[in-house]
Amino acid sequence: MPKDSGIGASTKRREDIRFLTGQGNYTDDINIAGQAHVYFLRSDIAHGTINSIDTSAAAAMPGVVRVFTGADFEGVGGIPCGWQVTDRHGEPMQEPAHPVIAQGKVRHVGEIVAAVVADSLSQARDAAEAIVLDITDLPAVVDMKAAVAEGATKVHDDLTSNLCYDWGFVEENKGAVDEAFANAAHVTTLELVNNRLVANPMEPRVAVGDYTRHNDESTLYTTSQNPHVIRLLMGAFVLGIPEHKLRVVAPDVGGGFGAKIFHYAEEAFCTFAAKACNRAVKWTSSRSEAFMSDAHGRDHVSKIELALDAENNFTALRTETYANMGAYLSTFAPSVPTWLHGTLMAGNYKTPLIYVNVKAVFTNTVPVDAYRGAGRPEATYQLERVVDKAARELGVDPVALRRQNFVTEFPYETPVAVAYDTGDYHATMDQLESMIDREGFAARRAASEANGKLRGLGVNCYIEACGIAPSNLVGQLGARAGLYESATVRVNATGGLVVMTGSHSHGQGHETSFPQVIAEMIGIDESMVEIVHGDTANTPMGMGTYGSRSIAVGGSAMVRAAEKIIAKTKKIAAHLMEASEADIELKDGAFSVAGTDKSVAWGDVCLAAYVPHNYPLEDIEPGLEETAFYDPANFTYPSGAYACEVEIDPETGKVTIESFAAADDFGNVINPMIVEGQVHGGLAQGIGQALLEACAYDENGQLLTGSYMDYAMPRADDLPNYQVDHSCVTPCTHNPLGVKGCGEAGAIGSPPAVINAVVDALQSGGHAVDHIDMPVSPSRVWSAMNS
């Protein structure tokens, strides 16, 4: 029987009531009396020298409070990067300054060149049109390989080149890897592109800066996935505001997908301008602004090679990737194509030798950073495409080739410096095959062919590393912050609990799933537990939500704090019942003495903690509030197997997804319904990347896909009814809940499944196509068939 409460129950999301009834409190809903509005004048050229900016006419226009340019920020710090990568020669990456407002040059379309603060947004926009810019165009660099060629125009004049870093991992393995390739019985080579994407969360970014002069305190309301990190970066490194004088609030946030992890110039500007103007300053991004100012995702060009012996065992893997950084380094950008990508190149396989080379490149485009999956989708896509190609070249079953090379013994130390603690890749593949009726595929293909269509089946596996911790390890790898998580559990006198967490919820369902954990630990109703997050003034210092870390890291911190609460309440209960603390048991919301009929209710013990004169507690201090910080011992490693069936219309090249199945191992699952929803969302984004989405620039650095007229988003009729399963469970061995994380899996495993299916369909129709880049638009597929 399914559970109806606690861990493992599909409890309905309590937060949906306010969202569905229009009661959500988003940043754009926040309006402060007397607030001004800012309009950002953005560069419409990709690369140029700023000769002059004349703001005099704009400053004199009605309602204008003040006009800001880069000159106003000359004594202010730039936007910091939160991760430093060391290249394969032991040198630190090139790290250019990132001003809040452009100074001296503009480096991408959409960069802020001036900001007008006015009484109303329309007044600010009108005044911005009166600003006179004198900018000399410079050649733009957009293509990554051209950007690092000798003589290429430099994006940053003070750097030696456009190469941010040339990273090799594991560098000591390179010679052995090359030797394995020289001795291989078969080598499969594949060149591919992981297309640039725009995150497009439903809610665009918003920032409201406020300042109170009497106590010199600043407040920023913002659409952030990690308010404490924004406070740290902006306060310490940009504006020089002590943390106790800066509050950051991220209320309800309408999706993030990684793009709201980072500290942006607009946040720093609104905070700075509120103090400079002595009034609140608000900015709400338009969708067009979002396309050219939100950090983009992916954008890798890769060559991958797989070596096999005569028995089809994988013997070595090597990759060379060009990773686009854009014009500046976003908060976590350097880590995405390196430590979040290179360390996952082993995948589910026991390949003994691996070498990964990544060249990170500056171009005159919007900065690129983490997007749902962040490095893991890029690694999985390369690996699963080359394995599929190898199977076709060798004439073997692609599932059998994968099974032959699966890791089967755990823990498993990969050759790229991570240790998988647990997993069962055969079990997830078994489950997948039971879901997709593989034996019936030939009949389905024949039926499609009878209707003039091509049909293909694509299968792949994935593994991801979640949690992005422990802090001491990521610190050695270049992280400039700890990556622990925190929670404070406060018990009220009547037994209700408030959990204040450093994690942030922006669609994950924390307000539902976190209480399920606490309620199960104590044996009380979930309605007695309230979750508070998103405000640095009333939550402990935490690292926020990304990397599928909320339940694995934030949930573990919450469990540790709750364990402290339970330990203290057992002491109090022992006093109340005049028993030994060792004999006290907590079950179903009541304390009892083992072997007796003595008991006392949870609420009575909580009341005693706050009214100690009725029950002398001797050496136990009053109150019930505990804080815990949790720093994991390792990443968690969710894994799975996915399958996609497609039909292709040879007349038009249109690809239709007929079915999609996902079998995942997420470890222990707190709320199956929420997990299923997370997988559905990830699949939609992964399928969107494979079929439709592509952010494109022309050779002059002009954004060609700057609106939904040009950037194709997946719609309901592009997606099938999914089959999803998470019944294969190998619990994580190093966190108290045995959980692994689920939020990014769908986006990681789905793109290669789609492309494998498309290639399978094309080859079944007699077309000599061994690869096709994403997105597989009708024109691209038709061209591949007819080239």
Side-chain angles (χ1 to χ4, degrees):
M1 288 286 292
K3 293 183 66 176
D4 58 7
S5 64
I7 294 174
S10 289
T11 304
K12 290 183 179 179
R13 287 173 30 128
R14 63 168 73 172
E15 50 268 70
D16 286 351
I17 295 173
R18 71 174 185 274
F19 296 148
L20 294 172
T21 57
Q23 300 303 305
N25 182 38
Y26 296 90
T27 307
D28 192 54
D29 294 321
I30 296 171
N31 293 289
I32 298 170
Q35 73 184 13
H37 296 262
V38 60
Y39 181 84
F40 293 111
L41 180 63
R42 299 180 184 273
S43 176
D44 60 2
I45 65 170
H47 196 199
T49 301
I50 301 173
N51 301 313
S52 64
I53 303 176
D54 186 351
T55 63
S56 56
M61 291 185 69
V64 172
V65 177
R66 183 171 169 180
V67 182
F68 295 83
T69 66
D72 295 293
F73 285 81
E74 287 182 356
V76 175
I79 306 299
C81 178
W83 202 297
Q84 182 184 69
V85 166
T86 301
D87 73 12
R88 63 193 185 96
H89 306 293
E91 297 297 321
M93 67 189 187
Q94 296 201 90
E95 189 172 359
H98 185 177
V100 175
I101 297 180
Q103 297 174 354
K105 286 178 72 174
V106 291
R107 296 181 173 88
H108 68 86
V109 170
E111 184 169 9
I112 301 169
V113 292
V116 179
V117 177
D119 293 335
S120 70
L121 178 58
S122 59
Q123 289 172 323
R125 185 185 295 112
D126 290 344
E129 293 180 1
I131 296 174
V132 180
L133 300 177
D134 181 4
I135 300 178
T136 301
D137 280 21
L138 297 171
V141 288
V142 176
D143 180 83
M144 286 186 280
K145 293 183 180 180
V148 295
E150 187 174 349
T153 301
K154 290 195 290 185
V155 177
H156 297 274
D157 297 333
D158 55 331
L159 302 186
T160 60
S161 70
N162 291 322
L163 184 66
C164 177
Y165 55 76
D166 182 0
W167 184 78
F169 192 72
V170 175
E171 192 67 26
E172 294 78 11
N173 289 352
K174 189 174 186 303
V177 169
D178 291 344
E179 183 178 354
F181 272 91
N183 296 326
H186 182 85
V187 173
T188 295
T189 302
L190 182 61
E191 296 187 22
L192 45 76
V193 174
N194 206 297
N195 39 323
R196 180 184 279 236
L197 303 174
V198 180
N200 282 309
M202 186 178 294
E203 174 202 34
R205 289 190 296 116
V206 184
V208 183
D210 193 19
Y211 176 72
T212 51
R213 178 169 289 180
H214 73 273
N215 58 6
D216 191 32
E217 290 186 358
S218 296
T219 300
L220 170 68
Y221 301 91
T222 184
T223 48
S224 175
Q225 298 176 217
N226 47 359
H228 282 279
V229 174
I230 301 305
R231 182 178 70 164
L232 175 64
L233 293 176
M234 186 177 72
F237 299 104
V238 184
L239 301 181
I241 303 173
E243 284 187 272
H244 68 286
K245 292 292 185 180
L246 176 60
R247 177 188 179 199
V248 177
V249 182
D252 289 329
V253 173
F257 312 128
K260 293 176 182 174
I261 298 171
F262 324 119
H263 178 39
Y264 287 96
E266 293 88 354
E267 294 170 319
F269 176 85
C270 288
T271 307
F272 178 89
K275 182 174 182 178
C277 300
N278 196 31
R279 63 192 288 191
V281 175
K282 182 174 185 177
W283 169 72
T284 299
S285 173
S286 68
R287 188 59 69 178
S288 295
E289 279 185 292
F291 272 96
M292 59 183 173
S293 64
D294 289 6
H296 292 172
R298 312 288 193 252
D299 204 354
H300 288 189
V301 176
S302 298
K303 177 182 178 181
I304 182 168
E305 299 170 284
L306 176 65
L308 302 92
D309 66 16
E311 285 73 43
N312 296 340
N313 298 306
F314 301 167
T315 60
L317 185 81
R318 63 186 176 196
T319 73
E320 181 185 41
T321 291
Y322 288 81
N324 204 332
M325 295 289 101
Y328 298 101
L329 292 177
S330 181
T331 305
F332 289 133
S335 69
V336 173
T338 52
W339 300 112
L340 299 182
H341 161 256
T343 55
L344 270 294
M345 285 310 305
N348 306 66
Y349 311 111
K350 53 190 178 187
T351 312
L353 293 165
I354 298 175
Y355 179 72
V356 180
N357 176 243
V358 177
K359 297 174 176 66
V361 182
F362 292 112
T363 62
N364 292 118
T365 62
V366 170
V368 179
D369 209 320
Y371 170 71
R372 196 171 192 168
R376 284 72 56 87
E378 295 90 319
T380 300
Y381 182 65
Q382 289 181 63
L383 182 58
E384 292 300 315
R385 282 295 300 121
V386 80
V387 170
D388 223 60
K389 185 170 186 252
R392 296 183 186 283
E393 291 175 350
L394 294 165
V396 300
D397 177 12
V399 172
L401 182 63
R402 287 175 167 87
R403 285 186 181 274
Q404 177 179 336
N405 288 280
F406 276 163
V407 174
T408 56
E409 297 182 3
F410 297 89
Y412 175 75
E413 294 275 351
T414 76
V416 279
V418 293
Y420 303 161
D421 63 323
T422 185
D424 189 340
Y425 310 145
H426 282 290
T428 50
M429 184 62 79
D430 290 344
Q431 181 63 28
L432 180 74
E433 292 202 81
S434 74
M435 296 164 66
I436 65 174
D437 181 23
R438 198 175 179 209
E439 293 76 13
F441 175 70
R444 295 193 295 276
R445 170 173 278 173
S448 294
E449 290 172 350
N451 291 323
K453 304 290 179 64
L454 304 178
R455 195 177 191 99
L457 171 64
V459 174
N460 67 274
C461 305
Y462 80 90
I463 188 168
E464 61 167 321
C466 298
I468 314 182
S471 294
N472 63 344
L473 173 61
V474 296
Q476 294 171 38
L477 303 182
R480 290 166 168 165
L483 288 170
Y484 52 83
E485 199 44 84
S486 62
T488 296
V489 176
R490 177 182 298 159
V491 185
N492 299 318
T494 54
L497 296 92
V498 179
V499 178
M500 293 155 278
T501 174
S503 299
H504 186 276
S505 183
H506 42 276
Q508 291 83 358
H510 295 174
E511 294 174 42
T512 300
S513 56
F514 281 20
Q516 289 179 248
V517 174
I518 296 294
E520 175 127 330
M521 292 178 70
I522 298 172
I524 57 176
D525 192 87
E526 294 160 17
S527 63
M528 295 178 66
V529 185
E530 179 186 359
I531 305 299
V532 174
H533 65 93
D535 187 342
T536 62
N538 58 24
T539 57
M541 175 71 178
M543 293 295 105
T545 296
Y546 42 83
S548 301
R549 72 195 307 267
S550 294
I551 194 66
V553 188
S556 294
M558 177 181 66
V559 167
R560 293 299 187 226
E563 287 172 344
K564 294 180 182 181
I565 291 288
I566 290 170
K568 184 173 181 178
T569 52
K570 283 186 175 181
K571 288 183 179 180
I572 298 171
H575 276 267
L576 296 178
M577 293 185 285
E578 298 180 338
S580 168
E581 183 184 335
D583 293 331
I584 301 299
E585 298 174 346
L586 172 61
K587 184 179 180 181
D588 298 331
F591 297 90
S592 60
V593 180
T596 76
D597 59 357
K598 288 184 177 181
S599 68
V600 60
W602 165 260
D604 292 335
V605 172
C606 297
L607 183 63
Y610 287 96
V611 190
H613 58 263
N614 292 331
Y615 307 94
L617 299 180
E618 301 170 3
D619 59 342
I620 302 175
E621 65 182 39
L624 274 179
E625 182 170 326
E626 298 287 351
T627 296
F629 287 77
Y630 180 80
D631 203 339
N634 192 2
F635 295 97
T636 65
Y637 297 98
S639 60
Y642 286 9
C644 177
E645 275 192 40
V646 302
E647 251 191 4
I648 298 176
D649 184 345
E651 296 297 319
T652 64
K654 178 175 173 55
V655 177
T656 302
I657 297 182
E658 296 297 318
S659 65
F660 201 104
D664 295 291
D665 175 3
F666 295 134
N668 294 331
V669 170
I670 305 302
N671 186 311
M673 181 193 70
I674 288 177
V675 167
E676 186 170 330
Q678 287 288 306
V679 174
H680 279 205
L683 292 175
Q685 288 184 278
I687 291 170
Q689 176 179 12
L691 288 185
L692 298 159
E693 297 183 53
C695 179
Y697 286 87
D698 70 11
E699 66 276 8
N700 298 312
Q702 290 296 323
L703 182 62
L704 300 177
T705 50
S707 75
Y708 291 137
M709 293 293 289
D710 307 297
Y711 187 94
M713 292 279 284
R715 296 175 294 184
D717 60 356
D718 295 310
L719 304 171
N721 288 321
Y722 310 120
Q723 294 184 74
V724 300
D725 178 89
H726 41 77
S727 63
C728 300
V729 176
T730 59
C732 175
T733 60
H734 54 78
N735 67 51
L737 290 168
V739 294
K740 294 185 177 182
C742 69
E744 296 164 299
I748 294 169
S750 53
V754 174
I755 304 305
N756 288 347
V758 169
V759 171
D760 182 57
L762 293 174
Q763 292 194 358
S764 76
H767 300 283
V769 177
D770 59 14
H771 179 68
I772 184 168
D773 277 324
M774 302 183 289
V776 285
S777 61
S779 62
R780 181 169 282 175
V781 174
W782 189 91
S783 296
M785 296 172 67
N786 291 279
S787 61

